[in-house]
Amino acid sequence: MRGLSTLMKISGNPTWQQTMLRIKNPSAVDYYTQKMGMTLIDTYKFDSFSLFFLATMEKPYLLKPGSTEAHQFLWSFPGTTLELTHNHGTESNPDFKYHAGNEEGDGFGHICFNCEDVYSASSSLEADGVKFKKRPDEGRMKGLAFAYDDDGYWVELVKRSETTKFVNQYNLSQTMLRVKDAKKSISFYESLGMNLLRENHFDSFSLYFMATLLPGATPPPSDSPEARDYVKSLYGPVLELTHNHGTEAQPDFEHKNGNEEGKQGFGHIGFLVDDVNLACSELAAAGATFRKEPNGGKMKGLAFVLDPDGYSVEIIKRGGYDDEATPFFY
């Protein structure tokens, strides 16, 4: 089991900065910009793959994706982005597809957007050609919906708090991961600066909602009635940890983490820190396991630590290492 001994928040002001999904075709970016109202804030193109970073923005974004200014903005961005990774050539293979999750044993579940009216939003999206797994009036849980994106990932639609008014029709509001042992996972993400904002318990499973909060934020107790509305009022996303009761007592139980051969789709989540080496040394001292240490691999200066379920968590230097804010070096 990948876990940590007692560890408080690591040094360097860790903040949740990204959720990464692999895409077959770069046209998948259009789904999120044209359908879900996200803004493409930056791009990187390498020999064999390209990266697209999108965010829900409150104000018009005037920087050119791929520019030095956009790089500088991205790696100091206080919010959370959706990183779409395209491995060149997959778009030309008619039989190629990524594993979108939600099959037996899968860990990644979905991403989510909040909106004012799920019924109206669902109707508009369906009229625009979006396919749905669940419409808001279907199934046992009414009032929420699940659409499919171009790669088959589930995109949940949830009604935001009625007391909250955003200019955006949609705001990126959630990444859901299934966890084996909620206590271990919550402790791990608390060490990365996240706060437990809400917990919701059912007969066979529990949901835990965590987020990086702005300085000075004072959320209500996570088990209070006010916690539900607080989470729905946030502009930025929460990390939803879903725990199916009893898995923590099964020694051999594990979720697929999205990076296994034949199961690749979801890739990782990522956090910005002021000092990657210091943050990783504190994680290592607490017993964390690394997929890639800061000085490992071709791209130096960034790391991938494994959370208690084996999900990859990227540790990235805030502001990068040079004038272009490059978050790695060779």
Side-chain angles (χ1 to χ4, degrees), residues 101 203 234 256 269 309:
D203 290 342
L234 295 174
K256 299 296 183 183
I269 61 174
D309 286 275

Short mmCIF file of all heavy atoms in Angstrom, two decimals, residues 101 203 234 256 269 309:
data_model
loop_
_atom_site.label_atom_id
_atom_site.label_comp_id
_atom_site.label_asym_id
_atom_site.label_seq_id
_atom_site.Cartn_x
_atom_site.Cartn_y
_atom_site.Cartn_z
N GLY A 101 -12.87 4.84 -18.55
CA GLY A 101 -13.16 4.54 -17.15
C GLY A 101 -14.56 4.00 -16.96
O GLY A 101 -15.31 3.76 -17.92
N ASP A 203 -25.47 4.08 2.49
CA ASP A 203 -25.37 2.74 3.06
C ASP A 203 -24.12 2.00 2.59
O ASP A 203 -23.44 1.35 3.40
CB ASP A 203 -26.62 1.91 2.69
CG ASP A 203 -27.87 2.39 3.40
OD1 ASP A 203 -27.72 3.11 4.41
OD2 ASP A 203 -28.98 2.06 2.94
N LEU A 234 -18.67 27.07 -5.07
CA LEU A 234 -17.28 27.33 -5.44
C LEU A 234 -17.14 27.55 -6.95
O LEU A 234 -17.80 26.89 -7.75
CB LEU A 234 -16.39 26.16 -5.02
CG LEU A 234 -16.25 25.89 -3.52
CD1 LEU A 234 -15.46 24.61 -3.29
CD2 LEU A 234 -15.58 27.07 -2.83
N LYS A 256 -7.86 0.39 -10.85
CA LYS A 256 -7.01 0.72 -12.00
C LYS A 256 -6.76 2.23 -11.97
O LYS A 256 -7.68 3.01 -11.71
CB LYS A 256 -7.67 0.31 -13.30
CG LYS A 256 -7.95 -1.18 -13.43
CD LYS A 256 -6.67 -1.99 -13.46
CE LYS A 256 -6.97 -3.47 -13.68
NZ LYS A 256 -5.74 -4.29 -13.62
N ILE A 269 -3.42 13.88 -11.76
CA ILE A 269 -3.69 15.24 -11.34
C ILE A 269 -2.35 15.86 -10.96
O ILE A 269 -1.37 15.14 -10.78
CB ILE A 269 -4.71 15.32 -10.18
CG1 ILE A 269 -4.19 14.59 -8.94
CG2 ILE A 269 -6.05 14.76 -10.61
CD1 ILE A 269 -5.11 14.76 -7.73
N ASP A 309 -3.74 5.04 -3.72
CA ASP A 309 -4.35 4.11 -4.68
C ASP A 309 -3.50 3.92 -5.92
O ASP A 309 -3.91 3.21 -6.84
CB ASP A 309 -5.74 4.61 -5.07
CG ASP A 309 -6.75 4.40 -3.96
OD1 ASP A 309 -7.31 3.30 -3.87
OD2 ASP A 309 -6.94 5.33 -3.16
#
